[in-house]
Structure formats: C-alpha cells, structure tokens
Amino acid sequence: MEGFLIILAIAAVVIVFSSIKQVEEYERGVLFSFGKFSKILNPGWNLVLPVIQSYRKVDVRTKAVDVPEQDAITKDNVSIRINAVIYYNIFDASKAILAVQDYYYAVGQLAQTTMRNAVGAVTLDELLSEREKISENICKVIDEASDPWGIKVENVELKDIRLPDEMQRVIAKVAEAEREKQAVITKSIGEIEASKNLAEAASTMASCPGALHLRTLSTINDISSDQSNTIIFAVPIEVLQAFGNGNVSGQDIVDKITRKK
C-alpha cells in the first residue's frame, strides 16, 4: 500500500511539473480546454493540464514581412515590378489563432494583392513622386482588412520600383532635357542681371566725369602688375606741348622721342 502511494505521489509530481508551461514576456499563450478556447496565458509560469488542456504561443513583437517583387501595371499602362516591407504586430492573440489559419501567410498574400491594386490606381508619375502617400493608403487598407485577425499594421514601405529598360531611357532623356532647360534659364537670368549692372555702371560714369578716369587708372594699375604687358597710350599733341617751351612744336617733341628710342 505504501509503495502504491509513493508511486502515486511521484506520478502526481511529474504531472504537475510537466503541466507548468513558461510563456516569455514577448509572448501570449492561447489556452484550450477540451478543444475550446479558454483564456489568454500571460507571461510567466502557467498551469496547463495534460490531455485536458493544450495551448499555443503567439509572438506579439513587431514583425517585418518582406513582400516579394510583384508585376503590376499602372493607371497609364506602364508595366513595373515593385516590392515592399510590412511592419505589424498582434494585439489579440486569440483572434490570430482562431480567426485565421496562418496569419503570417495571410498578411503576406493580402499585402501582395493590395499593393497591385494600389499601383493600378495611380499613374507612373504619381507612383514615383507620391510614394509615401501610396504607402499610407496601402497600410490603411491592409490594417482594416487584418483587424478581424487581431493584427495591427504599423507601417508599409515601398522598397524598390523597377521600370522597363526602355522606360528608364525615356525618363533619363526627360531629366536631361529638364536640366538643360534650367541651365539655359539660369544663364539668361545671369545675363539679364549683368546687363542691368553694366547699364547702371555706365550711367554712373557718364554722370560723374571723374569716375571714368578713376576706372581707367584702376585698369592701368591692374595691367601694370604683370611686367610682360606693354601699355601704349594715345597722348594728344597738346599734352606733349606742355612739356616743351613755346618755340618747340608738339611734332618736334614726338620726333625727338622717336629718335631717342
């Protein structure tokens, strides 16, 4: 009798220890009793009776789903390839187990179809220029569709948009033409500003006689800084006459200077 009780006690201890299930902090447990949903197991040690009860763990951390590259056609009939990444977490572990067979696979498939539909509703220019807005729309649609599964979609990011080779060449030509146009516009604006400044400078010099002489002296000073430069002045005869006496003509002075050289 005593031996039977010892065996029974040992069996009870084994059953108790085997019934203790540990749920991590980032997990939730879905408990079933006789095959029916019973409750959610919180992090820590939980008692799950063998045979009678069973449970499944659900990771509630944020998950990243890489949506495979998809073929899609834009609203203006341009064929592209696009892929994305989805970030989501589970806010209700019981729904993730009871409402959908494989929530990970279901979210991926939902993301693929939603992404193709979103691309088909916009033109290529809108897809390239409003990527963030389109990502938000895809996120909203997936979040609403996956809400009955206990899933909260946090964000959707379009990773890469691949265009056909001929379309890439067309876009490159358009971009090059746009840059050339901007260069011509910028150059013309600079020429207009320069002409305005030159006109203003000419007007200032014309209204102030000494300004032109100062500008001339400044130019001479700049040229004379290089010894290889030769400066030739056209000096009026009257100026040369000022250096001689009254009996010597300006032409004589020029002849003397020429003979000395």
Side-chain angles (χ1 to χ4, degrees):
M1 186 65 180
E2 291 180 358
F4 176 75
L5 293 176
I6 293 174
I7 294 174
L8 186 61
I10 293 174
V13 171
V14 171
I15 292 175
V16 169
F17 275 101
S18 63
S19 300
I20 297 176
K21 305 298 181 181
Q22 178 172 304
V23 178
E24 304 295 341
E25 183 64 32
Y26 55 84
E27 296 176 331
R28 297 296 182 271
V30 181
L31 182 65
F32 297 91
S33 299
F34 299 103
K36 295 182 179 179
F37 170 70
S38 180
K39 65 176 182 178
I40 298 294
L41 301 179
N42 292 319
W45 282 8
N46 295 271
L47 189 63
V48 179
L49 300 177
V51 182
I52 299 176
Q53 295 178 324
S54 63
Y55 82 111
R56 288 185 60 181
K57 291 182 179 181
V58 177
D59 194 330
V60 295
R61 291 176 294 184
T62 298
K63 300 172 181 61
V65 175
D66 191 5
V67 182
E69 197 171 56
Q70 301 293 310
D71 290 320
I73 300 177
T74 61
K75 188 177 181 180
D76 49 351
N77 296 323
V78 178
S79 178
I80 65 170
R81 293 183 65 84
I82 185 172
N83 63 346
V85 60
I86 300 176
Y87 299 91
Y88 71 92
N89 62 65
I90 296 174
F91 67 87
D92 191 330
S94 61
K95 290 182 178 180
I97 297 298
L98 300 175
V100 62
Q101 181 178 4
D102 186 345
Y103 63 85
Y104 188 87
Y105 176 79
V107 170
Q109 293 299 308
L110 178 61
Q112 293 181 27
T113 56
T114 303
M115 189 168 60
R116 286 196 295 266
N117 293 336
V119 170
V122 297
T123 63
L124 178 61
D125 290 340
E126 292 173 340
L127 180 62
L128 297 177
S129 62
E130 301 179 2
R131 180 180 298 192
E132 183 176 353
K133 180 180 178 181
I134 296 173
S135 298
E136 292 176 356
N137 293 336
I138 296 174
C139 180
K140 182 179 179 181
V141 172
I142 299 176
D143 184 42
E144 292 177 352
S146 61
D147 188 70
W149 305 340
I151 294 175
K152 171 64 179 177
V153 179
E154 299 176 353
N155 193 19
V156 175
E157 292 289 344
L158 297 179
K159 293 174 58 179
D160 189 24
I161 300 175
R162 297 178 56 186
L163 303 175
D165 294 338
E166 59 274 12
M167 184 58 63
Q168 293 182 15
R169 289 193 291 268
V170 170
I171 293 177
K173 290 181 180 179
V174 172
E176 183 178 358
E178 184 67 23
R179 288 193 296 268
E180 291 178 353
K181 183 184 75 173
Q182 291 298 327
V184 172
I185 293 174
T186 302
K187 183 179 179 180
S188 62
I189 292 175
E191 291 177 349
I192 292 173
E193 293 294 331
S195 62
K196 289 181 180 179
N197 292 334
L198 289 175
E200 185 178 352
S203 177
T204 302
M205 290 182 181
S207 62
C208 183
L212 182 59
H213 297 299
L214 291 175
R215 181 59 180 168
T216 302
L217 293 174
S218 176
T219 303
I220 293 173
N221 181 64
D222 293 338
I223 296 175
S224 63
S225 61
D226 190 351
Q227 296 180 358
S228 64
N229 293 332
T230 301
I231 305 175
I232 300 175
F233 292 98
V235 182
I237 298 298
E238 291 76 8
V239 175
L240 296 176
Q241 289 177 350
F243 292 97
N245 52 35
N247 298 324
V248 182
S249 65
Q251 184 63 41
D252 294 335
I253 295 174
V254 173
D255 295 337
K256 290 180 180 180
I257 295 173
T258 305
R259 287 196 295 273
K260 289 181 179 179
K261 290 183 177 180

